Amino acid sequence: MEDVTRRLVVVTGASSGIGLAAAVDLAGRGDQVVLVGRDPARLTAAGERVREASGERPELFRADFAVLDDVRGLAERLRAAYDRIDLLAHNAGAIVLQPVTTIDGFELSIQANHLAPFLLSNLLRDRIGRMVVTASAAHRSGALDPDDLNAPLRRYRSMGAYGTSKQANILFTAEAARRWPEVPAHCFHPGVVRTRFGSESRLLSWSLRVLPFRSPEQGADTLVWLAREDPARLVDGGYYVDRRLHRPLPKAADRELAARLWAASARAVGCD
């Protein structure tokens, strides 16, 4: 049963790809959509796409998840603008081809893909009605160590670092559901999607040419479905693929590891 009420929806990573496709779809269904992105020009262009599809110009918020102070500022601006956020869709993410340490001292993948969404969720917790997190089957290549979030910087492999951040996404979603039962939380794998994501990588670009791929709209389908479905019909904290509940690998379903990650993340971003 789809929720047909008008809601306030915040989508991160909404400048292109899955995030933009989801924003266009949700706005077309009558939701008030707020777009969050890093690049001002692409964010403005995305806003025009949403306006053309829905007839309503969305609010735009710029933030770089590679800078935690940007995330804190984003949370302050969202809190000032909205008393309630019916849906927070965590879609911002990055595949980082070379080892990069952020200004905050963390490996870029784990910060942009996990720590920044973790911080934003905690800062907005009392405003959030539900959460959807873009995860990935790439969690199979994850090797998360909550005691050393920068471990991927040693002998760096881009897909290993990315997989570790996606493993963290799934663990975070499940732990958020346990700690915040009043906030339904779900994550999903969008499939292999042809977007700008990872376009700088020759290997990834080649893979997208030879592997079965989806359009951004197809990749966003489960996100939109999770955003609209009655939470009572879903498994809180669940990981979904093509609108079906899936069991992630054990390393992404370990409750003890999820609790350790939560504690380590809270220390890392200073929101104990």
Side-chain angles (χ1 to χ4, degrees):
M1 297 178 62
E2 184 177 280
D3 180 357
V4 296
T5 60
R6 178 175 170 82
R7 304 161 313 155
L8 190 285
V9 174
V10 174
V11 183
T12 72
S15 297
S16 63
I18 295 169
L20 176 55
V24 168
D25 191 326
L26 291 168
R29 295 169 188 262
D31 286 335
Q32 179 185 354
V33 175
V34 176
L35 309 185
V36 178
R38 178 175 59 88
D39 182 273
R42 291 197 293 115
L43 189 59
T44 299
E48 281 300 305
R49 281 276 307 278
V50 172
R51 184 193 63 78
E52 291 168 2
S54 66
E56 183 175 351
R57 189 178 301 277
E59 292 293 321
L60 309 178
F61 288 79
R62 198 210 72 82
D64 184 350
F65 280 17
V67 181
L68 292 181
D69 275 347
D70 261 28
V71 179
R72 297 181 182 102
L74 171 63
E76 290 177 2
R77 286 180 285 143
L78 289 172
R79 292 184 68 86
Y82 308 111
D83 292 331
R84 179 172 175 79
I85 296 170
D86 295 291
L87 169 70
L88 176 57
H90 286 301
N91 178 71
I95 293 178
V96 184
L97 303 183
Q98 302 294 330
V100 176
T101 302
T102 71
I103 191 173
D104 301 289
F106 300 105
E107 188 274 318
L108 179 53
S109 300
I110 198 68
Q111 176 165 323
N113 299 353
H114 167 64
L115 290 174
F118 176 88
L119 175 59
L120 185 62
S121 300
N122 276 270
L123 294 175
L124 296 176
R125 175 188 172 184
D126 61 325
R127 304 288 173 94
I128 303 171
R130 65 199 293 180
M131 290 195 304
V132 176
V133 180
T134 302
S136 174
H139 73 273
R140 69 183 68 249
S141 63
L144 181 71
D145 178 2
D147 295 327
D148 185 4
L149 295 176
N150 282 331
L153 287 172
R154 296 188 293 276
R155 301 184 64 186
Y156 189 81
R157 294 179 177 85
S158 60
M159 288 308 298
Y162 177 71
T164 295
S165 71
K166 295 291 105 179
Q167 179 189 0
N169 287 158
I170 299 172
L171 291 167
F172 161 66
T173 303
E175 188 67 10
R178 287 189 283 268
R179 291 175 181 250
W180 303 341
E182 73 282 7
V183 181
H186 309 92
C187 62
F188 75 102
H189 168 56
V192 180
V193 180
R194 185 186 293 278
T195 69
R196 293 182 68 258
F197 194 68
S199 59
E200 298 86 354
S201 168
R202 292 180 181 178
L203 175 60
L204 289 173
S205 296
W206 177 84
S207 297
L208 289 175
R209 287 195 296 270
V210 300
L211 292 174
F213 64 87
R214 297 178 173 186
S215 67
E217 290 73 22
Q218 291 169 324
D221 176 74
T222 300
L223 190 164
V224 173
W225 176 73
L226 288 170
R228 304 292 296 184
E229 185 73 358
D230 181 350
R233 299 170 63 89
L234 301 170
V235 173
D236 202 11
Y239 170 65
Y240 286 80
V241 181
D242 293 335
R243 300 192 180 192
R244 294 179 180 274
L245 183 68
H246 274 240
R247 185 184 298 276
L249 293 181
K251 61 185 174 183
D254 185 323
R255 292 178 65 127
E256 181 182 354
L257 185 61
R260 289 174 56 211
L261 173 64
W262 189 284
S265 301
R267 289 192 299 270
V269 301
C271 65
D272 291 341

